[in-house]
Amino acid sequence: MDTLSQILDDIRLRGGEFRDLQLYAPWAFRLETPGLASFHIVTQGSCWLLREGAEPLRLDAGDLVVLPGGAAHRVQDSPETPGEAAPDLSAELGSPRREPHRLGTAGPLARLLSGRFSFEVELARPLVGALPPLLLHRGQGAGPPVWLRIGLQFLADERSQNRPAQQAVINRLADILLIQVLRNHISELPEGSGNWLLALRDRALSAALSAMHREPQRPWTVPELAEIASLSRSAFAERFNQVLGQPPLAYLTEHRMRLAAWQLRHGSQPVCRIAEQVGYNSETAFSQAFKRSHGVSPSGYRKT
């Protein structure tokens, strides 16, 4: 499994909720999804996205925008349209209704497909933190790129009728949409930008990262990881530290602590078992490492 796939599995991406919007100028709505990524796809017409501290962003048919951290924003027909009292779109997302949600009066028409992605916030923190507040994928001419057009057609067909496992299909389509945006962003990162996602383009570092994410319980050593990366120990350690900003085993420890915190929040296994799953033979050693990371013991973390 490639590293990005492994990381997306780790953050427990659970797919998305969509809502078709039929918008007649003047119109405006607001959306904030903390802990979730939000997105908008313009399928007809144009609109503007407004965020505090940023210039208004014009979006045209075929454009896709993703806000990885779910930052508060407004979308409206024009930057001049009053938006202070704009309705919150959150309640409409995931609605079982098939008819589009309508806003506005009788002005020019715009159509959007808007929604949000769900994932485990703490496990996704390194990924979301490495992304800009907004990811923009421009369409091609008056329409979306081929992969997005096919996905939208598939989604429209799926939602036009009641069929078994429909939500599972929609979730997978949401996965594809987000993954494609991430792949495009990673491929366009400039060298030397200081972003750890560059490691996913580095065959050596990517192999080592994939191994750590695939088997976090294994007692990895730097020489073992260097061998997987097909580098000398010193060359591997230097490159890892330069690209990811920390030594390999420090990265591994942080990843283990995030996995342990998730297990403590969502599972009922004893602390000793969780310790084994994240690579600690001693519950005492695990508890000490967890307290250094989170400021509280595993049992105290679970209680709160």
Short mmCIF file of all heavy atoms in Angstrom, two decimals, residues 41-99:
data_model
loop_
_atom_site.label_atom_id
_atom_site.label_comp_id
_atom_site.label_asym_id
_atom_site.label_seq_id
_atom_site.Cartn_x
_atom_site.Cartn_y
_atom_site.Cartn_z
N ILE A 41 -18.38 22.43 -5.13
CA ILE A 41 -18.15 22.21 -6.56
C ILE A 41 -19.17 23.06 -7.31
O ILE A 41 -20.38 22.92 -7.08
CB ILE A 41 -18.32 20.73 -6.95
CG1 ILE A 41 -17.41 19.84 -6.11
CG2 ILE A 41 -18.03 20.54 -8.43
CD1 ILE A 41 -17.71 18.36 -6.26
N VAL A 42 -18.69 23.93 -8.17
CA VAL A 42 -19.60 24.76 -8.96
C VAL A 42 -19.94 23.99 -10.23
O VAL A 42 -19.06 23.71 -11.05
CB VAL A 42 -18.96 26.12 -9.31
CG1 VAL A 42 -19.96 27.00 -10.06
CG2 VAL A 42 -18.46 26.82 -8.05
N THR A 43 -21.19 23.65 -10.39
CA THR A 43 -21.62 22.89 -11.57
C THR A 43 -22.31 23.77 -12.62
O THR A 43 -22.47 23.35 -13.76
CB THR A 43 -22.57 21.75 -11.17
OG1 THR A 43 -23.69 22.28 -10.46
CG2 THR A 43 -21.85 20.74 -10.26
N GLN A 44 -22.70 24.98 -12.23
CA GLN A 44 -23.30 25.92 -13.19
C GLN A 44 -23.15 27.33 -12.65
O GLN A 44 -23.29 27.58 -11.45
CB GLN A 44 -24.78 25.59 -13.42
CG GLN A 44 -25.47 26.53 -14.42
CD GLN A 44 -26.94 26.17 -14.63
OE1 GLN A 44 -27.34 25.03 -14.41
NE2 GLN A 44 -27.75 27.13 -15.05
N GLY A 45 -22.87 28.27 -13.54
CA GLY A 45 -22.77 29.67 -13.14
C GLY A 45 -21.46 29.97 -12.42
O GLY A 45 -20.43 29.35 -12.66
N SER A 46 -21.53 30.94 -11.52
CA SER A 46 -20.34 31.35 -10.77
C SER A 46 -20.76 31.85 -9.40
O SER A 46 -21.95 32.08 -9.14
CB SER A 46 -19.58 32.45 -11.52
OG SER A 46 -20.40 33.61 -11.65
N CYS A 47 -19.78 32.01 -8.51
CA CYS A 47 -20.06 32.51 -7.16
C CYS A 47 -18.76 33.03 -6.57
O CYS A 47 -17.70 33.00 -7.21
CB CYS A 47 -20.66 31.41 -6.28
SG CYS A 47 -19.57 29.98 -6.07
N TRP A 48 -18.82 33.50 -5.34
CA TRP A 48 -17.66 34.03 -4.65
C TRP A 48 -17.56 33.39 -3.28
O TRP A 48 -18.58 33.22 -2.59
CB TRP A 48 -17.75 35.55 -4.51
CG TRP A 48 -17.64 36.27 -5.81
CD1 TRP A 48 -18.62 36.44 -6.74
CD2 TRP A 48 -16.46 36.91 -6.33
NE1 TRP A 48 -18.14 37.15 -7.82
CE2 TRP A 48 -16.82 37.45 -7.59
CE3 TRP A 48 -15.16 37.08 -5.86
CZ2 TRP A 48 -15.90 38.14 -8.38
CZ3 TRP A 48 -14.25 37.77 -6.64
CH2 TRP A 48 -14.63 38.29 -7.89
N LEU A 49 -16.34 33.05 -2.87
CA LEU A 49 -16.10 32.51 -1.54
C LEU A 49 -15.35 33.56 -0.73
O LEU A 49 -14.33 34.09 -1.18
CB LEU A 49 -15.29 31.21 -1.63
CG LEU A 49 -15.11 30.44 -0.32
CD1 LEU A 49 -15.07 28.94 -0.59
CD2 LEU A 49 -13.85 30.85 0.44
N LEU A 50 -15.86 33.85 0.46
CA LEU A 50 -15.29 34.89 1.30
C LEU A 50 -14.84 34.30 2.63
O LEU A 50 -15.62 33.58 3.29
CB LEU A 50 -16.31 36.01 1.57
CG LEU A 50 -16.58 37.00 0.43
CD1 LEU A 50 -17.45 36.36 -0.66
CD2 LEU A 50 -17.28 38.25 0.96
N ARG A 51 -13.58 34.57 3.00
CA ARG A 51 -13.03 34.16 4.30
C ARG A 51 -12.45 35.38 4.98
O ARG A 51 -11.93 36.28 4.32
CB ARG A 51 -11.93 33.12 4.12
CG ARG A 51 -12.37 31.78 3.59
CD ARG A 51 -11.16 30.86 3.45
NE ARG A 51 -10.22 31.34 2.45
CZ ARG A 51 -8.90 31.31 2.57
NH1 ARG A 51 -8.35 30.85 3.69
NH2 ARG A 51 -8.11 31.74 1.60
N GLU A 52 -12.50 35.39 6.28
CA GLU A 52 -11.92 36.50 7.04
C GLU A 52 -10.42 36.57 6.79
O GLU A 52 -9.70 35.56 6.86
CB GLU A 52 -12.19 36.32 8.53
CG GLU A 52 -11.74 37.51 9.37
CD GLU A 52 -12.12 37.38 10.83
OE1 GLU A 52 -12.82 36.41 11.18
OE2 GLU A 52 -11.70 38.25 11.62
N GLY A 53 -9.94 37.75 6.46
CA GLY A 53 -8.52 37.95 6.25
C GLY A 53 -8.01 37.54 4.89
O GLY A 53 -6.80 37.55 4.65
N ALA A 54 -8.90 37.16 3.97
CA ALA A 54 -8.49 36.73 2.64
C ALA A 54 -9.28 37.49 1.58
O ALA A 54 -10.40 37.95 1.82
CB ALA A 54 -8.70 35.23 2.46
N GLU A 55 -8.70 37.63 0.41
CA GLU A 55 -9.39 38.27 -0.70
C GLU A 55 -10.54 37.40 -1.18
O GLU A 55 -10.43 36.17 -1.17
CB GLU A 55 -8.42 38.51 -1.86
CG GLU A 55 -7.37 39.58 -1.58
CD GLU A 55 -7.99 40.97 -1.44
OE1 GLU A 55 -8.92 41.28 -2.23
OE2 GLU A 55 -7.56 41.72 -0.56
N PRO A 56 -11.66 38.01 -1.60
CA PRO A 56 -12.76 37.20 -2.17
C PRO A 56 -12.26 36.36 -3.34
O PRO A 56 -11.45 36.82 -4.15
CB PRO A 56 -13.76 38.26 -2.62
CG PRO A 56 -13.47 39.46 -1.77
CD PRO A 56 -12.00 39.44 -1.55
N LEU A 57 -12.72 35.14 -3.42
CA LEU A 57 -12.28 34.20 -4.44
C LEU A 57 -13.44 33.87 -5.37
O LEU A 57 -14.47 33.36 -4.94
CB LEU A 57 -11.77 32.91 -3.78
CG LEU A 57 -11.37 31.77 -4.72
CD1 LEU A 57 -10.15 32.16 -5.55
CD2 LEU A 57 -11.09 30.50 -3.92
N ARG A 58 -13.26 34.17 -6.66
CA ARG A 58 -14.30 33.86 -7.63
C ARG A 58 -14.18 32.40 -8.05
O ARG A 58 -13.10 31.89 -8.33
CB ARG A 58 -14.18 34.76 -8.86
CG ARG A 58 -15.25 34.47 -9.93
CD ARG A 58 -15.04 35.28 -11.20
NE ARG A 58 -15.92 34.85 -12.26
CZ ARG A 58 -17.07 35.42 -12.59
NH1 ARG A 58 -17.48 36.48 -11.92
NH2 ARG A 58 -17.81 34.95 -13.57
N LEU A 59 -15.33 31.72 -8.09
CA LEU A 59 -15.39 30.33 -8.51
C LEU A 59 -16.35 30.24 -9.70
O LEU A 59 -17.45 30.80 -9.67
CB LEU A 59 -15.90 29.44 -7.38
CG LEU A 59 -15.06 29.44 -6.09
CD1 LEU A 59 -15.79 28.68 -4.98
CD2 LEU A 59 -13.69 28.84 -6.35
N ASP A 60 -15.92 29.54 -10.74
CA ASP A 60 -16.72 29.37 -11.94
C ASP A 60 -17.06 27.90 -12.15
O ASP A 60 -16.52 27.01 -11.47
CB ASP A 60 -15.96 29.91 -13.16
CG ASP A 60 -15.73 31.41 -13.07
OD1 ASP A 60 -16.73 32.15 -13.00
OD2 ASP A 60 -14.56 31.84 -13.04
N ALA A 61 -17.95 27.66 -13.09
CA ALA A 61 -18.38 26.29 -13.38
C ALA A 61 -17.18 25.39 -13.63
O ALA A 61 -16.27 25.74 -14.38
CB ALA A 61 -19.31 26.28 -14.58
N GLY A 62 -17.16 24.25 -12.94
CA GLY A 62 -16.06 23.31 -13.07
C GLY A 62 -15.02 23.43 -11.97
O GLY A 62 -14.17 22.55 -11.84
N ASP A 63 -15.09 24.49 -11.17
CA ASP A 63 -14.11 24.68 -10.09
C ASP A 63 -14.52 23.88 -8.85
O ASP A 63 -15.70 23.72 -8.53
CB ASP A 63 -14.00 26.15 -9.71
CG ASP A 63 -13.35 26.98 -10.80
OD1 ASP A 63 -12.77 26.39 -11.74
OD2 ASP A 63 -13.41 28.23 -10.71
N LEU A 64 -13.50 23.39 -8.15
CA LEU A 64 -13.68 22.66 -6.91
C LEU A 64 -12.79 23.30 -5.86
O LEU A 64 -11.61 23.55 -6.10
CB LEU A 64 -13.28 21.19 -7.10
CG LEU A 64 -12.96 20.36 -5.85
CD1 LEU A 64 -14.18 20.20 -4.97
CD2 LEU A 64 -12.40 19.01 -6.26
N VAL A 65 -13.36 23.58 -4.69
CA VAL A 65 -12.58 24.16 -3.59
C VAL A 65 -12.80 23.31 -2.35
O VAL A 65 -13.92 22.88 -2.07
CB VAL A 65 -12.97 25.63 -3.35
CG1 VAL A 65 -14.41 25.78 -2.92
CG2 VAL A 65 -12.05 26.27 -2.32
N VAL A 66 -11.71 23.02 -1.64
CA VAL A 66 -11.76 22.24 -0.41
C VAL A 66 -11.12 23.06 0.70
O VAL A 66 -10.04 23.63 0.51
CB VAL A 66 -11.02 20.89 -0.56
CG1 VAL A 66 -11.01 20.13 0.76
CG2 VAL A 66 -11.66 20.05 -1.65
N LEU A 67 -11.78 23.12 1.85
CA LEU A 67 -11.22 23.77 3.04
C LEU A 67 -10.91 22.66 4.04
O LEU A 67 -11.81 22.18 4.74
CB LEU A 67 -12.20 24.78 3.62
CG LEU A 67 -12.47 26.00 2.71
CD1 LEU A 67 -13.70 25.77 1.84
CD2 LEU A 67 -12.64 27.28 3.52
N PRO A 68 -9.64 22.19 4.08
CA PRO A 68 -9.30 21.00 4.87
C PRO A 68 -9.65 21.10 6.34
O PRO A 68 -10.02 20.11 6.96
CB PRO A 68 -7.79 20.88 4.67
CG PRO A 68 -7.51 21.59 3.39
CD PRO A 68 -8.48 22.72 3.34
N GLY A 69 -9.52 22.30 6.92
CA GLY A 69 -9.82 22.47 8.33
C GLY A 69 -11.24 22.92 8.61
O GLY A 69 -11.58 23.18 9.77
N GLY A 70 -12.06 23.02 7.57
CA GLY A 70 -13.44 23.44 7.77
C GLY A 70 -13.59 24.87 8.23
O GLY A 70 -14.53 25.20 8.97
N ALA A 71 -12.68 25.76 7.81
CA ALA A 71 -12.70 27.15 8.27
C ALA A 71 -14.02 27.84 7.94
O ALA A 71 -14.66 27.54 6.92
CB ALA A 71 -11.55 27.92 7.63
N ALA A 72 -14.41 28.77 8.80
CA ALA A 72 -15.64 29.52 8.59
C ALA A 72 -15.53 30.35 7.30
O ALA A 72 -14.50 30.97 7.04
CB ALA A 72 -15.92 30.43 9.78
N HIS A 73 -16.59 30.36 6.50
CA HIS A 73 -16.58 31.12 5.26
C HIS A 73 -18.02 31.35 4.80
O HIS A 73 -18.96 30.73 5.32
CB HIS A 73 -15.79 30.38 4.17
CG HIS A 73 -16.36 29.03 3.83
ND1 HIS A 73 -16.16 27.92 4.59
CD2 HIS A 73 -17.14 28.64 2.78
CE1 HIS A 73 -16.78 26.87 4.04
NE2 HIS A 73 -17.38 27.29 2.95
N ARG A 74 -18.15 32.23 3.83
CA ARG A 74 -19.44 32.44 3.16
C ARG A 74 -19.27 32.21 1.67
O ARG A 74 -18.20 32.45 1.10
CB ARG A 74 -19.96 33.87 3.39
CG ARG A 74 -20.27 34.21 4.82
CD ARG A 74 -21.25 35.40 4.91
NE ARG A 74 -20.89 36.53 4.08
CZ ARG A 74 -20.14 37.55 4.49
NH1 ARG A 74 -19.64 37.56 5.71
NH2 ARG A 74 -19.88 38.55 3.68
N VAL A 75 -20.34 31.76 1.06
CA VAL A 75 -20.38 31.65 -0.39
C VAL A 75 -21.61 32.44 -0.83
O VAL A 75 -22.70 32.30 -0.26
CB VAL A 75 -20.50 30.18 -0.86
CG1 VAL A 75 -20.47 30.10 -2.38
CG2 VAL A 75 -19.39 29.34 -0.26
N GLN A 76 -21.43 33.30 -1.85
CA GLN A 76 -22.53 34.16 -2.28
C GLN A 76 -22.39 34.53 -3.74
O GLN A 76 -21.36 34.28 -4.36
CB GLN A 76 -22.60 35.40 -1.39
CG GLN A 76 -21.29 36.11 -1.16
CD GLN A 76 -21.34 37.02 0.06
OE1 GLN A 76 -21.45 36.57 1.20
NE2 GLN A 76 -21.25 38.34 -0.19
N ASP A 77 -23.45 35.10 -4.29
CA ASP A 77 -23.47 35.39 -5.73
C ASP A 77 -22.53 36.52 -6.10
O ASP A 77 -22.03 36.59 -7.22
CB ASP A 77 -24.89 35.73 -6.20
CG ASP A 77 -25.38 37.03 -5.60
OD1 ASP A 77 -25.50 37.11 -4.36
OD2 ASP A 77 -25.64 37.98 -6.38
N SER A 78 -22.26 37.42 -5.14
CA SER A 78 -21.41 38.58 -5.40
C SER A 78 -20.74 39.01 -4.10
O SER A 78 -21.34 38.85 -3.03
CB SER A 78 -22.25 39.74 -5.96
OG SER A 78 -21.52 40.96 -5.91
N PRO A 79 -19.53 39.55 -4.17
CA PRO A 79 -18.90 40.05 -2.94
C PRO A 79 -19.71 41.14 -2.26
O PRO A 79 -19.58 41.35 -1.05
CB PRO A 79 -17.54 40.57 -3.42
CG PRO A 79 -17.28 39.89 -4.71
CD PRO A 79 -18.63 39.69 -5.33
N GLU A 80 -20.53 41.85 -3.04
CA GLU A 80 -21.30 42.97 -2.48
C GLU A 80 -22.60 42.52 -1.82
O GLU A 80 -23.25 43.30 -1.13
CB GLU A 80 -21.63 43.98 -3.58
CG GLU A 80 -20.44 44.81 -4.04
CD GLU A 80 -19.47 44.01 -4.90
OE1 GLU A 80 -19.96 43.20 -5.72
OE2 GLU A 80 -18.25 44.19 -4.74
N THR A 81 -23.02 41.28 -2.02
CA THR A 81 -24.27 40.81 -1.42
C THR A 81 -24.12 40.76 0.09
O THR A 81 -23.17 40.16 0.60
CB THR A 81 -24.63 39.41 -1.94
OG1 THR A 81 -24.84 39.49 -3.35
CG2 THR A 81 -25.90 38.89 -1.27
N PRO A 82 -25.05 41.40 0.85
CA PRO A 82 -24.96 41.34 2.31
C PRO A 82 -25.01 39.89 2.79
O PRO A 82 -25.88 39.12 2.37
CB PRO A 82 -26.20 42.12 2.77
CG PRO A 82 -26.54 43.00 1.61
CD PRO A 82 -26.19 42.22 0.39
N GLY A 83 -24.07 39.50 3.65
CA GLY A 83 -24.02 38.12 4.09
C GLY A 83 -24.04 37.93 5.59
O GLY A 83 -23.94 36.80 6.07
N GLU A 84 -24.19 39.02 6.33
CA GLU A 84 -24.12 38.93 7.79
C GLU A 84 -25.23 38.03 8.34
O GLU A 84 -25.05 37.33 9.34
CB GLU A 84 -24.22 40.32 8.42
CG GLU A 84 -23.00 41.19 8.20
CD GLU A 84 -22.91 41.72 6.77
OE1 GLU A 84 -23.92 41.65 6.04
OE2 GLU A 84 -21.82 42.21 6.39
N ALA A 85 -26.41 38.05 7.72
CA ALA A 85 -27.54 37.23 8.19
C ALA A 85 -27.74 36.00 7.31
O ALA A 85 -28.82 35.41 7.31
CB ALA A 85 -28.81 38.09 8.22
N ALA A 86 -26.70 35.60 6.58
CA ALA A 86 -26.83 34.45 5.68
C ALA A 86 -27.13 33.18 6.46
O ALA A 86 -26.61 32.98 7.56
CB ALA A 86 -25.54 34.27 4.87
N PRO A 87 -27.98 32.30 5.93
CA PRO A 87 -28.31 31.05 6.62
C PRO A 87 -27.10 30.11 6.68
O PRO A 87 -26.23 30.14 5.81
CB PRO A 87 -29.44 30.45 5.77
CG PRO A 87 -29.24 31.04 4.41
CD PRO A 87 -28.70 32.41 4.64
N ASP A 88 -27.10 29.26 7.69
CA ASP A 88 -26.04 28.27 7.87
C ASP A 88 -26.42 27.02 7.09
O ASP A 88 -27.51 26.46 7.26
CB ASP A 88 -25.91 27.95 9.37
CG ASP A 88 -24.73 27.03 9.66
OD1 ASP A 88 -24.11 26.53 8.70
OD2 ASP A 88 -24.44 26.82 10.85
N LEU A 89 -25.51 26.56 6.23
CA LEU A 89 -25.79 25.41 5.39
C LEU A 89 -25.65 24.07 6.14
O LEU A 89 -26.10 23.04 5.65
CB LEU A 89 -24.85 25.41 4.18
CG LEU A 89 -25.12 24.38 3.08
CD1 LEU A 89 -26.44 24.64 2.39
CD2 LEU A 89 -23.98 24.35 2.07
N SER A 90 -25.07 24.08 7.32
CA SER A 90 -24.74 22.84 8.02
C SER A 90 -25.95 21.91 8.17
O SER A 90 -25.84 20.70 8.00
CB SER A 90 -24.17 23.14 9.41
OG SER A 90 -22.98 23.87 9.31
N ALA A 91 -27.11 22.50 8.51
CA ALA A 91 -28.29 21.66 8.75
C ALA A 91 -28.76 20.95 7.49
O ALA A 91 -29.46 19.93 7.58
CB ALA A 91 -29.42 22.53 9.32
N GLU A 92 -28.40 21.47 6.33
CA GLU A 92 -28.86 20.87 5.08
C GLU A 92 -27.94 19.75 4.59
O GLU A 92 -28.35 18.93 3.77
CB GLU A 92 -28.96 21.94 3.98
CG GLU A 92 -30.09 22.92 4.17
CD GLU A 92 -31.46 22.24 4.03
OE1 GLU A 92 -31.56 21.27 3.25
OE2 GLU A 92 -32.40 22.68 4.69
N LEU A 93 -26.72 19.71 5.07
CA LEU A 93 -25.78 18.71 4.58
C LEU A 93 -26.20 17.32 5.04
O LEU A 93 -26.55 17.10 6.20
CB LEU A 93 -24.37 19.01 5.07
CG LEU A 93 -23.78 20.34 4.59
CD1 LEU A 93 -22.37 20.51 5.11
CD2 LEU A 93 -23.82 20.45 3.09
N GLY A 94 -26.16 16.38 4.13
CA GLY A 94 -26.58 15.03 4.47
C GLY A 94 -28.07 14.82 4.48
O GLY A 94 -28.56 13.76 4.89
N SER A 95 -28.84 15.81 4.03
CA SER A 95 -30.29 15.68 3.99
C SER A 95 -30.69 14.56 3.03
O SER A 95 -30.13 14.44 1.94
CB SER A 95 -30.93 17.00 3.54
OG SER A 95 -32.31 16.81 3.28
N PRO A 96 -31.66 13.73 3.41
CA PRO A 96 -32.10 12.65 2.51
C PRO A 96 -32.92 13.14 1.33
O PRO A 96 -33.19 12.39 0.40
CB PRO A 96 -32.94 11.76 3.43
CG PRO A 96 -33.47 12.70 4.48
CD PRO A 96 -32.37 13.71 4.70
N ARG A 97 -33.32 14.41 1.34
CA ARG A 97 -34.15 14.94 0.25
C ARG A 97 -33.35 14.99 -1.05
O ARG A 97 -32.19 15.36 -1.07
CB ARG A 97 -34.66 16.33 0.62
CG ARG A 97 -35.71 16.31 1.72
CD ARG A 97 -36.12 17.71 2.10
NE ARG A 97 -35.03 18.43 2.77
CZ ARG A 97 -35.11 19.67 3.19
NH1 ARG A 97 -36.20 20.37 2.98
NH2 ARG A 97 -34.09 20.24 3.79
N ARG A 98 -34.00 14.64 -2.14
CA ARG A 98 -33.32 14.61 -3.43
C ARG A 98 -33.44 15.93 -4.18
O ARG A 98 -32.60 16.24 -5.02
CB ARG A 98 -33.90 13.47 -4.30
CG ARG A 98 -33.46 12.11 -3.82
CD ARG A 98 -33.80 11.06 -4.88
NE ARG A 98 -33.24 9.77 -4.52
CZ ARG A 98 -33.82 8.91 -3.69
NH1 ARG A 98 -34.99 9.22 -3.16
NH2 ARG A 98 -33.25 7.77 -3.39
N GLU A 99 -34.48 16.70 -3.90
CA GLU A 99 -34.61 17.97 -4.59
C GLU A 99 -33.55 18.94 -4.09
O GLU A 99 -33.17 18.90 -2.92
CB GLU A 99 -36.01 18.56 -4.40
CG GLU A 99 -36.32 19.08 -3.00
CD GLU A 99 -36.75 17.99 -2.03
OE1 GLU A 99 -36.67 16.79 -2.41
OE2 GLU A 99 -37.16 18.33 -0.90
#
